[in-house]
Amino acid sequence: MRRRSIRLVSRRVEALREVEGWGAGAAAVGVLRAGELVALHGEPDREFRWASVTKPAAALATLVAAEEGVLDLDQPAGPEGSTVRHLLAHASGLPFEGEAPIAPPGRRRIYSNTGFEQLAEAVAGAAEIPFDEYLRAAVFEPLAMRAELHGSAAAGIHGTLDDVLALAGELQSPTLVAPETLAEATSVQFPGLGGVLPEVGRFDPNDWGLGVELRDAKQPHWTGTRNSSRTFGHFGGSGTFLWVDPEARVACACLTDRPFGPWALEAWPRLSDAVLEAA
């Protein structure tokens, strides 16, 4: 991730001041354009809980494992009939929390923390090391991230804005996996599945890639009206988000200490639109 002079990007910096009205005790937000840091607001080295922004990082570690031959995306994992791919795409039939499936694999898009915890178990079993160690070796260390996973692979990363921007840069221009692998991860998996995007609404279809949500034509949405349909990313219950818009060549990451709520569905789209307008 490269940095450029703040003086060259004053309009983008001004756009990020939206976060000052959010009522958060602390917030940090940054913008990348083609892998280059072009705007920053807040403390980039302050640690926050990422919550579900953990999932794209866990998914990236799984994709590294697949490329290394540690496991196959279509091998069995999770409940009967499910695969690693089902778990990554929230299509395994597992509920948000709980071990008992509530639908057959591939029938519904059911957002599941348990699915990512079982995904981590599959990676750990295949790699023969704990998942947090594999995540550190496969993702954190190569990207010079200081983040750490504490507990659940669905929501347990604690790290800085610098860390999440390093992840964003990788999702713009991959170095840990092949471009073809990233392209697959950001394309629709199990097309046509309907389901609920937590705290946002029900969509039919509710398209997901491998560990990332796909914006497509969803409306309303937590990204902005200026975001292209190819935008992908994730948000977290701790008031965090990361999106990448391949058409605009822009990525935006935000970490806060204010729990997600209705405020975010008003504030985040405004910020996203301001970022894309300035970019």
Side-chain angles (χ1 to χ4, degrees):
M1 179 180 66
R2 302 181 300 280
R3 296 176 184 265
R4 66 185 291 189
S5 169
I6 207 87
R7 290 173 297 178
L8 300 179
V9 292
S10 58
R11 284 189 66 220
R12 295 168 186 153
V13 172
E14 186 66 30
L16 300 192
R17 290 184 178 144
E18 287 258 352
V19 304
E20 294 175 2
W22 287 2
V29 58
V31 178
L32 301 182
R33 185 175 179 90
E36 181 177 272
L37 182 68
V38 295
L40 178 69
H41 186 85
E43 300 175 66
D45 56 355
R46 178 174 180 143
E47 184 177 280
F48 293 84
R49 183 172 71 91
W50 290 15
S52 286
V53 177
T54 296
K55 291 182 176 73
L60 180 57
T62 305
L63 296 176
V64 172
E67 286 204 350
E68 290 181 342
V70 172
L71 50 65
D72 189 282
L73 294 179
D74 295 310
Q75 75 180 47
E80 184 176 356
S82 174
T83 65
V84 171
R85 188 183 301 273
H86 284 100
L87 294 173
L88 282 166
H90 297 290
S92 70
L94 287 168
F96 180 74
E97 301 284 358
E99 302 289 327
I102 56 177
R107 298 285 184 86
R108 292 167 54 193
R109 193 80 65 188
I110 305 171
Y111 183 84
S112 177
N113 281 346
T114 300
F116 265 73
E117 290 161 358
Q118 294 193 6
L119 173 72
E121 292 174 5
V123 174
E128 300 182 335
I129 61 172
F131 182 74
D132 64 327
E133 293 183 18
Y134 192 87
L135 176 63
R136 183 170 61 250
V139 177
F140 292 168
E141 291 178 354
L143 298 181
M145 296 167 61
R146 293 175 296 169
E148 295 183 351
L149 176 65
H150 300 287
S152 172
I157 290 180
H158 291 243
T160 66
L161 180 67
D162 278 341
D163 291 330
V164 74
L165 288 172
L167 177 63
E170 176 67 16
L171 294 175
Q172 285 189 303
S173 181
T175 61
L176 305 182
V177 296
E180 295 81 4
T181 299
L182 180 63
E184 180 178 4
T186 56
S187 63
V188 181
Q189 305 292 309
F190 308 102
L193 299 188
V196 174
L197 183 59
E199 307 298 331
V200 179
R202 179 175 180 82
F203 298 96
D204 194 0
N206 182 16
D207 288 339
W208 281 75
L210 298 174
V212 292
E213 188 230 334
L214 308 181
R215 190 190 195 287
D216 289 343
K218 294 170 185 163
Q219 188 64 33
H221 200 254
W222 57 273
T223 62
T225 60
R226 290 177 176 267
N227 281 90
S228 77
S229 62
R230 293 179 59 204
T231 300
F232 63 89
H234 218 293
F235 72 86
S238 57
T240 56
F241 72 76
L242 165 63
W243 57 251
V244 178
D245 189 332
E247 289 192 7
R249 301 173 67 208
V250 171
C252 184
C254 184
L255 301 177
T256 82
D257 61 359
R258 183 179 181 186
F260 177 87
W263 69 270
L265 294 180
E266 296 181 3
W268 291 353
R270 283 201 308 268
L271 174 66
S272 299
D273 284 341
V275 164
L276 288 167
E277 181 178 10

